[in-house]
Amino acid sequence: MVTKGTSRGKLIDAARAEMLAKGYGATSVDEVCARAGVSKGNFYHFFSSKENLGLAVLDAYHGENLEIIRQPPARGREPRRQALSLVDHLIDSAGKLWGGGCLLGSFALELAETNPAIGNAVSERFRAVAATLADGFAPLVKAGSRGQAADLAEQFIVTVEGALVLARAHHDWSYVDRALARFRKSLNVPAGDSP
């Protein structure tokens, strides 16, 4: 876990901002150090390489986002309503989760084929997000349909990642809002079943 305010934490935060804004390849160690206000010597005290920093950034990003995703819906609701509350929570938290883009998606596009360590880390984290979502979405599908919940989780990820690409291409966050609203609508939840 990153301790905010420490030199290591400042480096991770600075690298995250730089890498989300312009990508891993276009981000230099010098830029990260300058943004963090940390010397290059101090950088190498914490990270043996830029790749090592990239993995630390990925870990911090993933941990923070999973924490948001796992925030429990209101207690005492029947399971289907809890699952719908999760969907609504994800929609309400979209800016916090993906407002600057998605580091997993960015790293996947840029590094999955060229950097095995980061590519594997991205794949593992996408699987963890999908498993967490599938657990939360399970009550929205037929009892015992674990495969359908996994499909629904995968569709949610595809919806978010595709919407983020369009939002970035068009400089328009409304692509994300509309995509998430369509995902919610695609669940075909009767009006009386809303949380």
Side-chain angles (χ1 to χ4, degrees):
M1 191 66 153
V2 177
T3 305
K4 300 287 183 184
T6 66
S7 293
R8 184 177 190 279
K10 288 177 184 176
L11 287 163
I12 289 172
D13 289 345
R16 176 180 173 165
E18 292 286 330
M19 291 175 183
L20 275 171
K22 58 188 181 184
Y24 177 89
T27 298
S28 72
V29 169
D30 288 333
E31 290 169 320
V32 171
C33 290
R35 185 176 186 136
V38 173
S39 72
K40 201 166 182 179
N42 210 0
F43 171 89
Y44 285 108
H45 172 74
F46 295 108
F47 304 103
S48 60
S49 64
K50 180 178 163 184
E51 178 183 79
N52 187 250
L53 171 65
L55 289 167
V57 169
L58 193 59
D59 280 342
Y61 175 83
H62 177 68
E64 290 168 16
N65 280 9
L66 267 187
E67 192 174 307
I68 293 168
I69 291 168
R70 288 180 175 149
Q71 287 177 354
R75 304 241 184 255
R77 294 185 174 177
E78 59 95 8
R80 185 169 171 81
R81 288 180 187 253
Q82 283 187 1
L84 291 172
S85 290
L86 172 60
V87 173
D88 292 336
H89 166 68
L90 294 170
I91 291 170
D92 293 342
S93 301
K96 210 188 269 186
L97 289 163
W98 310 291
C102 177
L103 203 63
L104 291 176
S106 294
F107 277 19
L109 290 172
E110 188 177 356
L111 301 167
E113 301 299 324
T114 59
N115 186 311
I118 292 178
N120 290 335
V122 167
S123 178
E124 290 170 15
R125 281 150 187 82
F126 265 131
R127 283 191 181 101
V129 170
T132 299
L133 291 172
D135 288 344
F137 292 164
L140 293 174
V141 298
K142 289 184 198 172
S145 300
R146 175 73 183 151
Q148 288 180 355
D151 290 345
L152 190 58
E154 185 176 295
Q155 185 57 47
F156 182 84
I157 293 169
V158 168
T159 297
V160 168
E161 294 300 327
L164 288 170
V165 168
L166 291 174
R168 180 163 276 192
H170 299 294
H171 305 286
D172 184 354
W173 180 259
S174 70
Y175 281 90
V176 175
D177 291 334
R178 288 194 305 273
L180 292 174
R182 283 191 297 271
F183 177 85
R184 175 69 162 81
K185 187 176 181 181
S186 76
L187 299 174
N188 293 321
V189 177
D193 226 2
S194 292

